[in-house]
Amino acid sequence: MNTPTPTLTLSRTVERQVRGQPTSDGDGVKLTRVLTQPLQRRLDPFLMLDAFGSDAASDYIGGFPTHPHRGFETVTYMLAGRMRHQDSVGNVGLLEPGSLQWMTAGRGILHSEMPEQEEGRMAGFQLWVNLAAKDKLTAPGYQDVPPAGVPVVTLADGVSVRVLAGATRGVTGAVTRPTTEPLYLDVTLPPGTAFEQPIPGTHNAFVYVFGGVVDVAGTPVESDRMAILSNTEGADGVRLEAVGDTAARVLVVAGRPLNEPIVQYGPFVMNTQAEIHQAFEDFQRGVLAT
């Protein structure tokens, strides 16, 4: 699909760059936590971004056994490998390369994500998106999107964009959300090419480079770095350009902030400490996911 490139009045600049912190989660799965808890207010409505990628089965084979969530959404995007998920609502599905899973934990869900391979590469991302106070106790649910269900926009110069959420070039992504209005793009830039994406001035935004080097409005961002984009008045989007003689790959993420209190304790994200205590009590009594 070839579509015209929009011309931005002013690109957002890089406010600062963040290098992720190596950690582990689930049953010893090694990953890099890129968006950490201290950045939640700055990047509202986004709560966390984990990047995982390894050729060693020992880094991922334990998977993520059954665990609870309440009060937000988890977005899993697979680049390589296969992972099986199932939950307390009765959903079962397979995550494979290029697939997307958008889970709304809502009032409570128990789920597991376990590898369906014993060797080979496992790679992808998990992004947490907050829910508004009015939606935190909504019914839980899943939206599983197979690789073919993610729209792809291909520009004349070879730039390719997988539209996971939101919209670009008149193409609506696999997922839309009316409250947080998330934009989630996977952009591949051949050497020497550029890509411009409009972003509302009201939205917080960041990019995460996971291949090559990308120039963001004059600032080079190397692979495995997150660049928080400034909320510059008058800026109507972001301009990305591949640097050097290798292709670049980058996530573009933006969303409308909720501007509500954020209280997180482990797998629960609510608005008050009392609501967190209630979540723990419900989990301990076995009624979180009923």
Side-chain angles (χ1 to χ4, degrees):
M1 180 184 297
N2 292 310
T3 52
T5 300
T7 300
L8 301 180
T9 302
L10 181 66
S11 173
R12 294 197 188 199
T13 56
V14 174
E15 178 180 299
R16 59 172 154 152
Q17 296 189 45
V18 176
R19 189 172 193 170
Q21 302 175 4
T23 187
S24 65
D25 209 336
D27 188 11
V29 177
K30 292 184 179 179
L31 50 83
T32 299
R33 187 143 294 161
V34 183
L35 198 170
T36 57
Q37 207 160 336
L39 294 173
Q40 289 177 345
R41 176 56 60 190
R42 172 62 186 85
L43 291 175
D44 178 13
F46 305 108
L47 301 165
M48 188 185 79
L49 175 66
D50 283 347
F52 54 94
S54 179
D55 296 303
S58 58
D59 289 345
Y60 62 74
I61 200 65
F64 303 90
T66 302
H67 56 281
H69 289 302
R70 173 179 278 183
F72 62 99
E73 300 184 294
T74 69
V75 183
T76 305
Y77 178 40
M78 293 295 290
L79 301 177
R82 294 158 60 88
M83 189 174 292
R84 176 75 59 180
H85 74 86
Q86 58 185 36
D87 67 34
S88 54
V89 185
N91 297 301
V92 178
L94 179 66
L95 286 162
E96 55 186 325
S99 65
L100 175 74
Q101 179 198 88
W102 201 291
M103 184 189 82
T104 302
R107 64 175 175 256
I109 200 166
L110 304 177
H111 80 142
S112 64
E113 301 151 299
M114 302 300 292
E116 278 226 340
Q117 61 189 61
E118 295 182 356
E119 60 182 12
R121 184 161 182 77
M122 179 82 72
F125 300 96
Q126 187 167 95
L127 177 71
W128 286 13
V129 186
N130 205 3
L131 286 170
K134 64 182 180 63
D135 298 322
K136 283 190 176 292
L137 298 183
T138 192
Y142 272 103
Q143 195 168 343
D144 275 325
V145 183
V150 177
V152 178
V153 175
T154 303
L155 305 183
D157 56 5
V159 172
S160 176
V161 186
R162 303 195 81 227
V163 192
L164 305 171
T168 189
R169 307 301 192 276
V171 176
T172 300
V175 175
T176 59
R177 285 290 184 270
T179 303
T180 50
E181 301 175 3
L183 173 74
Y184 193 5
L185 308 177
D186 173 4
V187 183
T188 300
L189 297 149
T193 62
F195 173 73
E196 293 187 346
Q197 173 62 36
I199 298 174
T202 52
H203 289 34
N204 290 326
F206 66 89
V207 300
Y208 182 75
V209 179
F210 60 106
V213 180
V214 173
D215 180 286
V216 183
T219 299
V221 182
E222 297 183 352
S223 188
D224 303 323
R225 300 288 190 279
M226 176 175 72
I228 298 175
L229 302 182
S230 62
N231 290 22
T232 307
E233 185 176 356
D236 54 355
V238 63
R239 186 178 192 276
L240 311 172
E241 183 176 353
V243 176
D245 57 2
T246 61
R249 198 166 177 189
V250 57
L251 300 180
V252 179
V253 182
R256 189 175 71 82
L258 294 170
N259 295 316
E260 296 179 350
I262 301 170
V263 182
Q264 178 185 353
Y265 195 92
F268 308 130
V269 183
M270 303 301 289
N271 296 101
T272 67
Q273 287 289 349
E275 290 170 336
I276 291 290
H277 293 154
Q278 186 64 56
F280 268 102
E281 182 180 332
D282 290 347
F283 176 59
Q284 291 167 349
R285 292 171 50 226
V287 298
L288 179 88
T290 59

